[in-house]
Amino acid sequence: MIYDSNSSSLETKFCRFDAELGLDDSTEISGYASLFNAEDKGGDVVQKGAYAASLARLSKAGGKVKMLWQHDPMQPIGVWDEIREDDKGLFVKGRLLPEVQAGREALALLQAGAIDGLSIGYHTVRAEKSAKGRLLHEIELWEVSMVTFPMLPEARVAPADDEAALAQSLAETFRQARDLLA
């Protein structure tokens, strides 16, 4: 049975950064915020194409999906420059903002391996009940957060390509932030 939802409640789904996570020597990150046909801990499975209509509406309106810290709307930590569906899932690429305190903290935690998850905040538009949960056919995407506990624990964070360059970049970012605050 397929149902449409008229509720405006925000739902969230979590996904660890997978082996394709990119963290370069600046503040850019990339990875998959959602994987198609992968059952999460709640039993839900996002179907290929579930984000297409939402992303098209956002693009047409000139809007952007927000990058938040732990789904907290009071803590934006960066911007998503690219969000798209491919055969694997919902690919995201963006920049953490070290000028924002939570952005600096997120970057430090990500670099240290303490945070390795992505999570989507969304509204279900169309879904079908399954034996364990739901098949999500259409999702209105609101935000993608960096989180501590993702719903798809089998995905992993990839190590930074050049940890020394990243550490140096982080140190310089903190120096610049300290100078700005002084």
Side-chain angles (χ1 to χ4, degrees):
M1 167 186 243
I2 295 179
Y3 65 91
D4 292 325
S5 174
N6 294 331
S7 170
S8 63
S9 63
L10 176 68
E11 297 178 63
T12 58
K13 291 287 179 210
F14 301 87
C15 178
R16 281 188 188 268
F17 286 120
D18 68 2
E20 295 179 32
L21 168 73
L23 175 61
D24 68 12
D25 62 354
S26 65
T27 60
E28 189 172 281
I29 61 172
S30 62
Y32 283 88
S34 175
L35 301 173
F36 297 136
N37 300 314
E39 185 177 311
D40 69 18
K41 289 182 179 181
D44 288 346
V45 177
V46 177
Q47 301 296 289
K48 186 175 179 180
Y51 300 99
S54 176
L55 295 175
R57 281 189 295 275
L58 273 173
S59 179
K60 184 177 179 181
K64 284 196 164 208
V65 173
K66 306 303 182 202
M67 181 191 293
L68 301 179
W69 179 242
Q70 307 283 357
H71 295 295
D72 185 347
M74 300 299 289
Q75 292 196 45
I77 58 170
V79 292
W80 293 116
D81 296 314
E82 179 182 353
I83 298 183
R84 63 178 163 75
E85 286 188 323
D86 62 19
D87 288 337
K88 184 174 182 174
L90 184 69
F91 176 81
V92 295
K93 181 178 180 182
R95 296 168 281 128
L96 292 168
L97 298 176
E99 301 84 1
V100 176
Q101 181 177 338
R104 286 190 304 277
E105 292 171 358
L107 187 59
L109 291 166
L110 180 63
Q111 190 273 331
I115 295 290
D116 60 0
L118 284 177
S119 175
I120 60 172
Y122 67 99
H123 169 72
T124 300
V125 177
R126 193 169 51 88
E128 177 181 350
K129 290 188 181 204
S130 68
K132 294 183 180 179
R134 302 176 296 174
L135 298 177
L136 302 175
H137 295 287
E138 186 177 350
I139 293 172
E140 186 71 31
L141 185 63
W142 292 355
E143 54 95 1
V144 177
S145 287
M146 287 187 59
V147 298
T148 307
F149 299 107
M151 285 289 267
L152 294 174
E154 66 273 9
R156 304 236 181 244
V157 173
D161 291 335
D162 186 352
E163 292 183 13
L166 179 59
Q168 184 177 11
S169 175
L170 285 170
E172 179 59 27
T173 300
F174 288 128
R175 276 192 291 277
Q176 290 172 358
R178 186 179 57 234
D179 292 344
L180 284 172
L181 295 172

